[in-house]
Amino acid sequence: MLKDIAIAAVLPAKDVGRAKDFYRDKLGLEPVEPADDNVMYECGNGTRFLVYQTDNAGTAKNTQMGWVTDDVERDVQELRSRGVVFEEYDFPGLKTENGIATADGGKAAWFLDSEGNILSLFERPQ
């Protein structure tokens, strides 16, 4: 049953106002359902994510949400022009160069939002 139902990511924020500024100014997103203590955003194909108020924000050490793109390099360049800083990693099996990791499975880049959440861009191989 769940395979046919749309999903929505949920991201924590210590300061929802600060998060709203980041998502607007850095990522170009506007809320679709604003509220005082949480905010909903809509992206491609009706996908959504919620940012909600909690003191637990920024504690996860894993990717929490990502966008699938057809051109990681283009999107990294665009986001950098808006002030987004991309992470550099050098782990066994994963090394970024200029913020982008390339593997058989595709290309990826990671950045932090204003609340310390790890977000990503992912490009599948052509």
Side-chain angles (χ1 to χ4, degrees):
M1 129 185 138
L2 295 179
K3 70 181 181 96
D4 297 321
I5 299 173
I7 63 170
V10 180
L11 296 174
K14 285 186 181 176
D15 184 326
V16 173
R18 179 177 61 203
K20 284 169 62 175
D21 290 346
F22 175 87
Y23 284 95
R24 180 192 63 234
D25 299 341
K26 306 290 186 195
L27 306 186
L29 300 173
E30 292 291 341
V32 293
E33 295 178 18
D36 290 337
D37 58 350
N38 61 60
V39 61
M40 180 71 76
Y41 293 92
E42 189 169 87
C43 293
N45 300 319
T47 57
R48 290 179 164 220
F49 68 97
L50 176 75
V51 176
Y52 74 100
Q53 178 76 38
T54 178
D55 288 334
N56 296 326
T59 60
K61 303 300 180 206
N62 58 286
T63 305
Q64 293 172 271
M65 183 176 78
W67 288 266
V68 177
T69 177
D70 62 354
D71 191 335
V72 164
E73 285 94 352
R74 175 199 64 214
D75 294 342
V76 165
Q77 183 177 6
E78 170 65 25
L79 291 173
R80 277 191 174 135
S81 75
R82 294 171 172 250
V84 174
V85 176
F86 284 83
E87 299 294 293
E88 293 292 346
Y89 297 119
D90 189 358
F91 303 127
L94 176 71
K95 180 171 174 51
T96 55
E97 292 183 30
N98 197 27
I100 299 172
T102 303
D104 292 342
K107 296 179 183 179
W110 294 266
F111 60 97
L112 302 179
D113 72 2
S114 61
E115 307 310 296
N117 298 309
I118 302 171
L119 308 178
S120 71
L121 298 172
F122 176 70
E123 177 185 338
R124 292 187 175 114
Q126 302 293 344

